[in-house]
mmCIF file of all heavy atoms in Angstrom:
data_model
loop_
_atom_site.group_PDB
_atom_site.id
_atom_site.type_symbol
_atom_site.label_atom_id
_atom_site.label_comp_id
_atom_site.label_asym_id
_atom_site.label_seq_id
_atom_site.Cartn_x
_atom_site.Cartn_y
_atom_site.Cartn_z
ATOM 1 N N GLN A 1 24.323 -99.518 -27.856
ATOM 2 C CA GLN A 1 23.067 -98.861 -28.182
ATOM 3 C C GLN A 1 21.890 -99.827 -28.270
ATOM 4 O O GLN A 1 20.745 -99.429 -28.124
ATOM 5 C CB GLN A 1 23.207 -98.087 -29.499
ATOM 6 C CG GLN A 1 24.182 -96.940 -29.401
ATOM 7 C CD GLN A 1 24.410 -96.267 -30.745
ATOM 8 O OE1 GLN A 1 23.771 -96.593 -31.731
ATOM 9 N NE2 GLN A 1 25.329 -95.332 -30.769
ATOM 10 N N VAL A 2 22.156 -101.087 -28.548
ATOM 11 C CA VAL A 2 21.058 -102.024 -28.771
ATOM 12 C C VAL A 2 21.069 -103.255 -27.861
ATOM 13 O O VAL A 2 20.147 -104.060 -27.908
ATOM 14 C CB VAL A 2 21.029 -102.494 -30.239
ATOM 15 C CG1 VAL A 2 20.752 -101.352 -31.177
ATOM 16 C CG2 VAL A 2 22.309 -103.197 -30.612
ATOM 17 N N ALA A 3 22.062 -103.405 -27.039
ATOM 18 C CA ALA A 3 22.285 -104.656 -26.299
ATOM 19 C C ALA A 3 21.109 -105.097 -25.451
ATOM 20 O O ALA A 3 20.659 -106.237 -25.555
ATOM 21 C CB ALA A 3 23.529 -104.529 -25.440
ATOM 22 N N LEU A 4 20.628 -104.251 -24.591
ATOM 23 C CA LEU A 4 19.636 -104.679 -23.622
ATOM 24 C C LEU A 4 18.303 -105.060 -24.240
ATOM 25 O O LEU A 4 17.645 -105.978 -23.774
ATOM 26 C CB LEU A 4 19.444 -103.598 -22.563
ATOM 27 C CG LEU A 4 20.700 -103.310 -21.736
ATOM 28 C CD1 LEU A 4 20.417 -102.209 -20.732
ATOM 29 C CD2 LEU A 4 21.201 -104.559 -21.040
ATOM 30 N N LYS A 5 17.892 -104.389 -25.298
ATOM 31 C CA LYS A 5 16.591 -104.685 -25.892
ATOM 32 C C LYS A 5 16.599 -105.911 -26.785
ATOM 33 O O LYS A 5 15.549 -106.386 -27.174
ATOM 34 C CB LYS A 5 16.066 -103.477 -26.659
ATOM 35 C CG LYS A 5 16.789 -103.186 -27.947
ATOM 36 C CD LYS A 5 16.169 -102.017 -28.684
ATOM 37 C CE LYS A 5 16.845 -101.852 -30.041
ATOM 38 N NZ LYS A 5 16.281 -100.748 -30.782
ATOM 39 N N ALA A 6 17.771 -106.440 -27.114
ATOM 40 C CA ALA A 6 17.844 -107.421 -28.171
ATOM 41 C C ALA A 6 18.294 -108.820 -27.779
ATOM 42 O O ALA A 6 18.136 -109.747 -28.561
ATOM 43 C CB ALA A 6 18.764 -106.892 -29.256
ATOM 44 N N LEU A 7 18.846 -109.014 -26.615
ATOM 45 C CA LEU A 7 19.472 -110.298 -26.286
ATOM 46 C C LEU A 7 18.532 -111.495 -26.407
ATOM 47 O O LEU A 7 18.962 -112.591 -26.757
ATOM 48 C CB LEU A 7 20.076 -110.247 -24.884
ATOM 49 C CG LEU A 7 21.327 -109.377 -24.767
ATOM 50 C CD1 LEU A 7 21.793 -109.326 -23.328
ATOM 51 C CD2 LEU A 7 22.430 -109.862 -25.673
ATOM 52 N N SER A 8 17.256 -111.291 -26.157
ATOM 53 C CA SER A 8 16.333 -112.428 -26.186
ATOM 54 C C SER A 8 16.083 -112.968 -27.587
ATOM 55 O O SER A 8 15.563 -114.066 -27.736
ATOM 56 C CB SER A 8 15.004 -112.034 -25.538
ATOM 57 O OG SER A 8 14.382 -111.018 -26.300
ATOM 58 N N SER A 9 16.446 -112.240 -28.624
ATOM 59 C CA SER A 9 16.205 -112.688 -29.991
ATOM 60 C C SER A 9 17.377 -113.441 -30.603
ATOM 61 O O SER A 9 17.248 -113.999 -31.683
ATOM 62 C CB SER A 9 15.884 -111.480 -30.875
ATOM 63 O OG SER A 9 14.711 -110.852 -30.413
ATOM 64 N N ILE A 10 18.491 -113.464 -29.949
ATOM 65 C CA ILE A 10 19.676 -114.131 -30.481
ATOM 66 C C ILE A 10 19.598 -115.621 -30.163
ATOM 67 O O ILE A 10 19.219 -116.009 -29.057
ATOM 68 C CB ILE A 10 20.963 -113.527 -29.883
ATOM 69 C CG1 ILE A 10 21.073 -112.059 -30.275
ATOM 70 C CG2 ILE A 10 22.192 -114.291 -30.335
ATOM 71 C CD1 ILE A 10 22.234 -111.348 -29.616
ATOM 72 N N LYS A 11 19.973 -116.455 -31.116
ATOM 73 C CA LYS A 11 19.991 -117.898 -30.884
ATOM 74 C C LYS A 11 20.959 -118.216 -29.754
ATOM 75 O O LYS A 11 22.036 -117.629 -29.656
ATOM 76 C CB LYS A 11 20.421 -118.630 -32.146
ATOM 77 C CG LYS A 11 19.410 -118.569 -33.261
ATOM 78 C CD LYS A 11 19.886 -119.361 -34.460
ATOM 79 C CE LYS A 11 18.870 -119.288 -35.579
ATOM 80 N NZ LYS A 11 19.307 -120.050 -36.752
ATOM 81 N N ALA A 12 20.588 -119.180 -28.929
ATOM 82 C CA ALA A 12 21.394 -119.551 -27.763
ATOM 83 C C ALA A 12 22.815 -119.959 -28.152
ATOM 84 O O ALA A 12 23.771 -119.586 -27.477
ATOM 85 C CB ALA A 12 20.725 -120.684 -26.988
ATOM 86 N N GLU A 13 22.962 -120.684 -29.252
ATOM 87 C CA GLU A 13 24.291 -121.141 -29.648
ATOM 88 C C GLU A 13 25.211 -119.994 -30.066
ATOM 89 O O GLU A 13 26.426 -120.144 -30.106
ATOM 90 C CB GLU A 13 24.236 -122.215 -30.740
ATOM 91 C CG GLU A 13 23.592 -121.778 -32.027
ATOM 92 C CD GLU A 13 22.085 -122.055 -32.098
ATOM 93 O OE1 GLU A 13 21.445 -122.317 -31.069
ATOM 94 O OE2 GLU A 13 21.559 -121.987 -33.219
ATOM 95 N N VAL A 14 24.639 -118.844 -30.327
ATOM 96 C CA VAL A 14 25.418 -117.645 -30.641
ATOM 97 C C VAL A 14 25.558 -116.764 -29.392
ATOM 98 O O VAL A 14 26.641 -116.281 -29.076
ATOM 99 C CB VAL A 14 24.756 -116.837 -31.787
ATOM 100 C CG1 VAL A 14 25.483 -115.532 -32.022
ATOM 101 C CG2 VAL A 14 24.697 -117.673 -33.054
ATOM 102 N N GLY A 15 24.467 -116.577 -28.675
ATOM 103 C CA GLY A 15 24.451 -115.672 -27.536
ATOM 104 C C GLY A 15 25.197 -116.162 -26.310
ATOM 105 O O GLY A 15 25.888 -115.382 -25.649
ATOM 106 N N ILE A 16 25.083 -117.444 -26.005
ATOM 107 C CA ILE A 16 25.729 -117.964 -24.793
ATOM 108 C C ILE A 16 27.250 -117.806 -24.846
ATOM 109 O O ILE A 16 27.844 -117.335 -23.875
ATOM 110 C CB ILE A 16 25.293 -119.418 -24.510
ATOM 111 C CG1 ILE A 16 23.825 -119.422 -24.076
ATOM 112 C CG2 ILE A 16 26.179 -120.067 -23.447
ATOM 113 C CD1 ILE A 16 23.200 -120.797 -23.954
ATOM 114 N N PRO A 17 27.910 -118.141 -25.964
ATOM 115 C CA PRO A 17 29.360 -117.901 -25.993
ATOM 116 C C PRO A 17 29.722 -116.418 -25.823
ATOM 117 O O PRO A 17 30.718 -116.096 -25.177
ATOM 118 C CB PRO A 17 29.787 -118.425 -27.372
ATOM 119 C CG PRO A 17 28.754 -119.438 -27.725
ATOM 120 C CD PRO A 17 27.473 -118.906 -27.141
ATOM 121 N N LEU A 18 28.920 -115.521 -26.391
ATOM 122 C CA LEU A 18 29.191 -114.097 -26.218
ATOM 123 C C LEU A 18 29.052 -113.691 -24.754
ATOM 124 O O LEU A 18 29.897 -112.961 -24.217
ATOM 125 C CB LEU A 18 28.251 -113.261 -27.089
ATOM 126 C CG LEU A 18 28.547 -113.268 -28.585
ATOM 127 C CD1 LEU A 18 27.393 -112.656 -29.365
ATOM 128 C CD2 LEU A 18 29.850 -112.548 -28.886
ATOM 129 N N LEU A 19 28.005 -114.168 -24.100
ATOM 130 C CA LEU A 19 27.817 -113.849 -22.684
ATOM 131 C C LEU A 19 28.917 -114.459 -21.829
ATOM 132 O O LEU A 19 29.423 -113.823 -20.903
ATOM 133 C CB LEU A 19 26.442 -114.332 -22.210
ATOM 134 C CG LEU A 19 25.254 -113.567 -22.776
ATOM 135 C CD1 LEU A 19 23.954 -114.253 -22.396
ATOM 136 C CD2 LEU A 19 25.264 -112.121 -22.301
ATOM 137 N N ASN A 20 29.298 -115.691 -22.148
ATOM 138 C CA ASN A 20 30.360 -116.335 -21.370
ATOM 139 C C ASN A 20 31.708 -115.654 -21.572
ATOM 140 O O ASN A 20 32.535 -115.629 -20.665
ATOM 141 C CB ASN A 20 30.440 -117.823 -21.701
ATOM 142 C CG ASN A 20 29.309 -118.599 -21.062
ATOM 143 O OD1 ASN A 20 28.664 -118.133 -20.122
ATOM 144 N ND2 ASN A 20 29.042 -119.771 -21.589
ATOM 145 N N GLU A 21 31.928 -115.099 -22.755
ATOM 146 C CA GLU A 21 33.177 -114.395 -23.007
ATOM 147 C C GLU A 21 33.311 -113.171 -22.100
ATOM 148 O O GLU A 21 34.422 -112.790 -21.728
ATOM 149 C CB GLU A 21 33.258 -113.989 -24.478
ATOM 150 C CG GLU A 21 34.649 -113.615 -24.913
ATOM 151 C CD GLU A 21 34.758 -113.438 -26.419
ATOM 152 O OE1 GLU A 21 33.970 -114.040 -27.173
ATOM 153 O OE2 GLU A 21 35.653 -112.683 -26.834
ATOM 154 N N LEU A 22 32.182 -112.582 -21.728
ATOM 155 C CA LEU A 22 32.237 -111.467 -20.777
ATOM 156 C C LEU A 22 32.812 -111.919 -19.436
ATOM 157 O O LEU A 22 33.485 -111.159 -18.745
ATOM 158 C CB LEU A 22 30.843 -110.863 -20.566
ATOM 159 C CG LEU A 22 30.268 -110.086 -21.745
ATOM 160 C CD1 LEU A 22 28.807 -109.736 -21.474
ATOM 161 C CD2 LEU A 22 31.088 -108.836 -22.025
ATOM 162 N N LEU A 23 32.560 -113.173 -19.076
ATOM 163 C CA LEU A 23 33.078 -113.695 -17.806
ATOM 164 C C LEU A 23 34.588 -113.866 -17.827
ATOM 165 O O LEU A 23 35.220 -113.954 -16.771
ATOM 166 C CB LEU A 23 32.395 -115.010 -17.446
ATOM 167 C CG LEU A 23 30.893 -114.905 -17.147
ATOM 168 C CD1 LEU A 23 30.293 -116.291 -16.958
ATOM 169 C CD2 LEU A 23 30.629 -114.014 -15.957
ATOM 170 N N ASP A 24 35.192 -113.886 -19.017
ATOM 171 C CA ASP A 24 36.658 -113.962 -19.109
ATOM 172 C C ASP A 24 37.310 -112.710 -18.544
ATOM 173 O O ASP A 24 38.502 -112.711 -18.248
ATOM 174 C CB ASP A 24 37.105 -114.145 -20.562
ATOM 175 C CG ASP A 24 36.733 -115.502 -21.132
ATOM 176 O OD1 ASP A 24 36.404 -116.420 -20.345
ATOM 177 O OD2 ASP A 24 36.770 -115.643 -22.376
ATOM 178 N N CYS A 25 36.538 -111.653 -18.382
ATOM 179 C CA CYS A 25 37.045 -110.387 -17.832
ATOM 180 C C CYS A 25 37.062 -110.387 -16.305
ATOM 181 O O CYS A 25 37.521 -109.426 -15.689
ATOM 182 C CB CYS A 25 36.161 -109.220 -18.290
ATOM 183 S SG CYS A 25 36.079 -109.006 -20.058
ATOM 184 N N VAL A 26 36.531 -111.446 -15.690
ATOM 185 C CA VAL A 26 36.295 -111.470 -14.250
ATOM 186 C C VAL A 26 37.312 -112.358 -13.539
ATOM 187 O O VAL A 26 37.591 -113.476 -13.967
ATOM 188 C CB VAL A 26 34.869 -111.985 -13.942
ATOM 189 C CG1 VAL A 26 34.608 -111.987 -12.440
ATOM 190 C CG2 VAL A 26 33.823 -111.150 -14.676
ATOM 191 N N GLN A 27 37.841 -111.827 -12.435
ATOM 192 C CA GLN A 27 38.667 -112.617 -11.518
ATOM 193 C C GLN A 27 37.999 -112.589 -10.150
ATOM 194 O O GLN A 27 37.321 -111.618 -9.796
ATOM 195 C CB GLN A 27 40.067 -112.026 -11.393
ATOM 196 C CG GLN A 27 40.900 -112.152 -12.652
ATOM 197 C CD GLN A 27 42.305 -111.645 -12.405
ATOM 198 O OE1 GLN A 27 42.487 -110.500 -11.999
ATOM 199 N NE2 GLN A 27 43.296 -112.491 -12.649
ATOM 200 N N ILE A 28 38.210 -113.630 -9.387
ATOM 201 C CA ILE A 28 37.700 -113.669 -8.010
ATOM 202 C C ILE A 28 38.838 -113.293 -7.067
ATOM 203 O O ILE A 28 40.009 -113.584 -7.343
ATOM 204 C CB ILE A 28 37.113 -115.056 -7.661
ATOM 205 C CG1 ILE A 28 36.398 -115.006 -6.308
ATOM 206 C CG2 ILE A 28 38.177 -116.144 -7.729
ATOM 207 C CD1 ILE A 28 35.533 -116.224 -6.016
ATOM 208 N N VAL A 29 38.471 -112.656 -5.971
ATOM 209 C CA VAL A 29 39.452 -112.293 -4.944
ATOM 210 C C VAL A 29 39.096 -113.108 -3.700
ATOM 211 O O VAL A 29 38.162 -112.761 -2.971
ATOM 212 C CB VAL A 29 39.431 -110.788 -4.627
ATOM 213 C CG1 VAL A 29 40.502 -110.461 -3.589
ATOM 214 C CG2 VAL A 29 39.615 -109.955 -5.885
ATOM 215 N N PRO A 30 39.802 -114.210 -3.475
ATOM 216 C CA PRO A 30 39.516 -115.020 -2.281
ATOM 217 C C PRO A 30 39.775 -114.205 -1.010
ATOM 218 O O PRO A 30 40.593 -113.279 -1.012
ATOM 219 C CB PRO A 30 40.502 -116.183 -2.375
ATOM 220 C CG PRO A 30 41.014 -116.170 -3.775
ATOM 221 C CD PRO A 30 40.891 -114.760 -4.264
#
């Protein structure tokens, strides 16, 4: 409900790990 409007206010040291954790859901298909 609030994700898109709020990301710019989060400190980088908190936000970057959260964003990078989303990448743990991703696999590449060569």
